[in-house]
Amino acid sequence: ANSKIPITPGTYENIEALAKHCNSCNRCPLGQTRTHAVVGRGNLRAEIMIIGEAPGKNEDETGLPFVGRSGQLLEKILASVELSTETDIYIANICKCRPPENRVPTSEEAAACKPYLLEQIRLVDPKIILLTGATSVKGLTGDKRPITKIRGEWLEWEGRLCMPIFHPSYLLRNPSKEKGSPKWLMWQDIQKVRDKFD
Ligand code: URA
């Protein structure tokens, strides 16, 4: 399970098998310091998938993505347009293991973990993918543009609709809700997603 045998489309029959593999993975150094691999949560048949960056402390402890402060804010934003991670959404991350001190994962770490993400996308088969923050956009699509330039834009990746949005942790650092503020822009973006989903 810890080998670097290629993971190709169809390697995993389901998310459980993938998760089992992630929990014994050592394809990158993050495997040595994790408590739990954080694979995903939400509806495995969801039409919307949200992809974050990497687990933080709470996520590493629980094995579930977006359960800390960022996650609480994300749930609130989704609830404001009547979307819920229990019914409408599946959430995952670019990296399944927590980087020390919550640093940004390196491109090597993101690349090592990408086959898992690609299998997750194949298995969940979402219509819409929301990418939170530049690391997530770069990790999936390779697009290196700053998030402020591309958030709210519909992009196409491998035949799927994707939208870069701000990372909730960025919104926690920028609490203003004034017109034009990051929170205000996020609200515009999430409404566009809601409209597409309806
Ligand atoms: N931030 C992320 O990007 N992912 C998580 O799972 C938690 C916080």
Side-chain angles (χ1 to χ4, degrees), residues 40-189:
R41 69 177 171 93
N43 180 356
L44 286 167
R45 297 267 161 270
E47 289 190 8
I48 303 175
M49 182 160 168
I50 298 180
I51 303 177
E53 183 176 302
K57 188 171 187 286
N58 295 290
E59 291 78 19
D60 176 66
E61 280 168 10
T62 58
L64 294 168
F66 281 104
V67 291
R69 279 184 74 216
S70 285
Q72 282 159 21
L73 177 57
L74 183 63
E75 296 284 356
K76 234 170 103 178
I77 294 164
L78 295 169
S80 76
V81 290
E82 283 157 10
L83 291 173
S84 143
T85 50
E86 274 169 32
T87 50
D88 312 304
I89 291 170
Y90 180 76
I91 312 190
N93 281 310
I94 293 287
C95 285
K96 309 298 183 238
C97 298
R98 182 192 183 196
E101 318 294 334
N102 298 343
R103 64 162 171 73
V104 176
T106 64
S107 10
E108 288 78 17
E109 288 157 358
C113 214
K114 193 165 180 179
Y116 295 122
L117 180 65
L118 295 179
E119 275 291 85
Q120 269 181 303
I121 296 172
R122 183 184 67 80
L123 288 163
V124 176
D125 195 22
K127 282 210 184 95
I128 295 172
I129 300 178
L130 304 180
L131 299 163
T132 67
T135 306
S136 170
V137 180
K138 187 172 145 227
L140 185 69
T141 70
D143 192 326
K144 292 186 186 140
R145 284 180 291 166
I147 193 70
T148 47
K149 288 260 157 41
I150 48 172
R151 56 129 280 280
E153 242 183 68
W154 288 110
L155 310 174
E156 208 202 279
W157 172 83
E158 307 262 322
R160 294 180 204 270
L161 266 184
C162 295
M163 187 190 281
I165 56 174
F166 284 129
H167 194 286
S169 68
Y170 179 71
L171 303 178
L172 288 171
R173 296 194 299 274
N174 293 276
S176 162
K177 289 182 182 168
E178 254 172 64
K179 190 171 178 191
S181 66
K183 270 196 169 167
W184 183 86
L185 292 168
M186 180 69 143
W187 170 242
Q188 311 297 306
D189 296 349

